[in-house]
């Protein structure tokens, strides 16, 4: 007899878990704070990796559908220095194992693969507490509660479920990313379109970076990275888009104008995002009736693995629960035994990726990684 599962968070990890549970006939409900699937933009392109994200989609029975939402040609990659000199330019020759898909389309595919009503929208969690015996009560912002015998926190960096298992809280690593968009770029921003090319583009230097990705429908999605104290970011008024762009651009005084234009010509209000992490070796003792997936379990610096890891966590947890229909605790123990070392290894790798991109030898360190000259490649 399967215990019904309550998932907090309808991100990619929670939805993949819900889909795998549904495939195996295990009852599941997902509670999500957002009011609807389209309540906010879901971010840009994700490269879905063969060894984890694609395996998760196979477990969910959605691999063929996934192939239908791939953004063809987006695996092209270009790396430049702050002068705009291109140091590496790799086209998408169709042989790469990391196809790019729009995050929104991937999430929509997962939502649509669940029975109507599985996801309860507009359910913002304010807290969770143990009732003993492996049961937990979750409280929502509207004052309502649910009680469950199996609770999964898939609710991201600032998880409300994590405190049931761990005292760890995310810490700022001294790096921030400012996000903006350019639209109709082939007509209105042709020089920026030329600089970026068909896929991903990164101009890098120690402690700085301007990266962009070409997305469907003539969109360039830009992330500007700066190593600064949190006080610097907090002092910028992001409600004044023009002033905010100018304040960030001031950190790139000697960069090629064709690069800084990816920020200064931005047509959306710049959005600041701090880079926060949990400890690389974050883990917890087994607590009956509750576990975590994705960023709630292992928040790490951006490395291209976050979404893939969340989906893989969800699939692995779903498969473990299906394999132990009469022993939920055995399923959770087996899942976590594999989760912890996998997460630690990925976190260490993510810090190395960040060093390659923004360490003292950037961008040459990243070029060496891609060309095989880096011994850690």
């Amino acid at each position: 007899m399967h215990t019904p599962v309550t998932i907090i968070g309808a991100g990619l990890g929670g939805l993949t878990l819900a889909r795998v549970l549904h495939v195996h006939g295990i009852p599941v409900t997902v509670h999500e704070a957002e009011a609807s699937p389209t309540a906010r933009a879901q971010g840009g392109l994700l490269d879905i990796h063969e060894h984890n994200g694609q395996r998760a989609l196979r477990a969910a029975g959605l691999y063929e559908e996934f192939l239908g939402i791939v953004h063809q040609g987006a695996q092209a990659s270009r790396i430049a220095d702050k002068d705009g000199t291109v140091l590496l330019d790799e086209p998408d020759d169709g042989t790469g194992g990391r196809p790019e898909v729009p995050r929104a389309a991937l999430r929509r595919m997962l939502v649509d693969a669940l029975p109507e009503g599985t996801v309860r929208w507009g359910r913002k969690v304010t807290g969770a507490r143990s009732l003993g015996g492996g049961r937990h009560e979750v409280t929502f912002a509207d004052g309502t509660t649910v009680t469950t015998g199996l609770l999964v926190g898939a609710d991201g960096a600032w998880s409300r479920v994590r405190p049931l298992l761990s005292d760890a809280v995310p810490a700022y690593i001294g790096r921030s990313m400012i996000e903006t968009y350019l639209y109709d770029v082939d007509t209105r921003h042709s020089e920026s379109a030329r600089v970026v090319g068909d896929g991903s583009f990164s101009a890098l230097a120690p402690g700085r970076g301007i990266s962009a990705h070409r997305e469907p429908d003539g969109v360039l999605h830009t992330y500007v990275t700066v190593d600064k104290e949190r006080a610097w970011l907090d002092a910028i008024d992001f409600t004044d888009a023009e002033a905010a762009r100018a304040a960030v651009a001031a950190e790139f005084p000697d960069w090629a104008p064709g690069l800084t234009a990816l920020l200064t010509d931005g047509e959306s209000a710049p959005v600041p995002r701090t880079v926060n992490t949990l400890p690389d070796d974050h883990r917890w003792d087994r607590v009956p009736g509750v576990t975590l997936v994705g960023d709630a379990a292992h928040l790490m610096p951006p490395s291209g693995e976050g979404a893939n890891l969340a989906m893989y966590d969800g699939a692995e947890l779903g498969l473990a629960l299906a394999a132990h229909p009469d022993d939920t605790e055995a399923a959770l123990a087996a899942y976590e035994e594999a989760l912890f070392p996998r997460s630690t290894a990925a976190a260490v790798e993510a810090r190395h990726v960040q060093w390659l991109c923004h360490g003292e030898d950037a961008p040459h360190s990243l070029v060496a990684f891609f060309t095989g000259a880096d011994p850690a490649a």
Side-chain angles (χ1 to χ4, degrees):
M1 180 69 179
H2 288 291
T3 301
V5 180
T6 299
I7 301 171
I8 306 302
L12 299 178
L15 291 172
T16 301
L17 169 58
R19 168 63 184 183
V20 173
L21 293 174
H22 172 63
V23 166
H24 290 276
I26 301 173
V28 57
T29 304
V30 183
H31 297 274
E32 167 55 47
E34 292 177 6
S36 75
T38 57
R40 66 176 178 88
Q42 292 300 311
L45 293 174
L46 297 171
D47 52 328
I48 304 302
H49 305 165
E50 288 176 308
H51 67 281
N52 46 24
Q54 292 182 40
R55 287 174 64 181
L57 289 166
R58 291 183 189 276
L62 295 171
Y63 183 73
E64 295 302 322
E65 286 190 51
F66 154 73
L67 294 178
I69 62 171
V70 168
H71 181 40
Q72 299 297 334
Q75 289 187 77
S77 180
R78 184 177 290 174
I79 300 170
D81 62 18
K82 66 186 182 67
D83 298 322
T85 302
V86 175
L87 306 176
L88 183 73
D89 197 358
E90 295 186 338
D92 183 350
D93 62 4
T95 64
R98 299 184 169 197
E100 302 270 358
V101 298
R103 181 188 283 266
L106 184 60
R107 189 192 195 206
R108 185 166 58 248
M109 181 187 79
L110 289 164
V111 170
D112 290 347
L114 296 170
E116 187 74 26
T118 300
V119 181
R120 312 283 174 84
W121 302 97
R123 301 280 279 168
K124 181 178 176 59
V125 173
T126 56
R129 66 186 183 103
S130 172
L131 300 176
R135 297 188 64 76
H136 292 86
E137 180 186 78
V138 180
T139 303
F140 300 96
D142 61 4
T144 61
T145 62
V146 296
T147 300
T148 179
L150 181 45
L151 177 64
V152 180
D155 49 343
W158 307 102
S159 172
R160 297 286 190 168
V161 177
R162 188 193 299 124
L164 295 169
L165 293 158
S166 166
D167 293 331
V169 293
Y172 178 56
I173 69 167
R175 180 164 293 150
S176 293
M177 304 174 75
I178 293 84
E179 180 183 19
T180 190
Y181 288 86
L182 279 72
Y183 303 109
D184 193 17
V185 295
D186 294 308
T187 301
R188 297 167 55 195
H189 304 281
S190 57
E191 178 59 17
S192 290
R194 185 194 65 77
V195 167
V196 172
D198 295 329
S200 63
F201 170 84
S202 293
L204 304 170
R208 298 286 186 275
I210 299 176
S211 299
H213 217 147
R214 178 181 277 268
E215 297 184 358
D217 304 318
V219 173
L220 287 183
H221 186 179
T222 299
Y223 279 102
V224 177
T225 302
V226 286
D227 285 1
K228 299 288 284 188
E229 295 297 323
R230 180 63 193 262
W232 171 83
L233 192 71
D234 292 341
I236 298 174
D237 180 7
F238 280 92
T239 64
D240 184 338
E242 185 175 352
R245 280 191 285 266
V248 177
E251 297 296 320
F252 299 81
D254 56 345
W255 285 52
L259 302 177
T260 54
L262 290 165
L263 167 67
T264 55
D265 290 352
E267 296 178 86
S268 62
V271 177
R273 303 191 185 281
T274 55
V275 179
N276 304 281
T277 67
L278 289 168
D280 291 353
D281 60 351
H282 181 235
R283 57 190 62 208
W284 54 87
D285 294 329
R286 174 91 295 280
V287 174
V290 59
T291 194
L292 306 170
V293 302
D295 285 351
H298 47 67
L299 183 66
M300 60 190 70
S303 66
E305 287 288 356
N308 287 279
L309 286 170
M311 294 166 65
Y312 191 72
D313 290 350
E316 289 292 285
L317 177 55
L319 293 172
L321 289 167
H324 297 84
D326 302 314
D327 193 342
T328 295
E329 282 307 299
L332 297 183
Y335 162 71
E336 291 175 357
E337 183 180 4
L339 169 73
F340 295 145
R342 176 172 76 239
S343 301
T344 297
V348 171
E349 181 184 4
R351 291 189 186 276
H352 181 62
V353 169
Q354 287 285 304
W355 178 84
L356 292 171
C357 293
H358 303 297
E360 62 269 20
D361 196 33
H364 306 288
S365 44
L366 185 62
V367 172
F369 176 81
F370 277 113
T371 58
D374 174 29

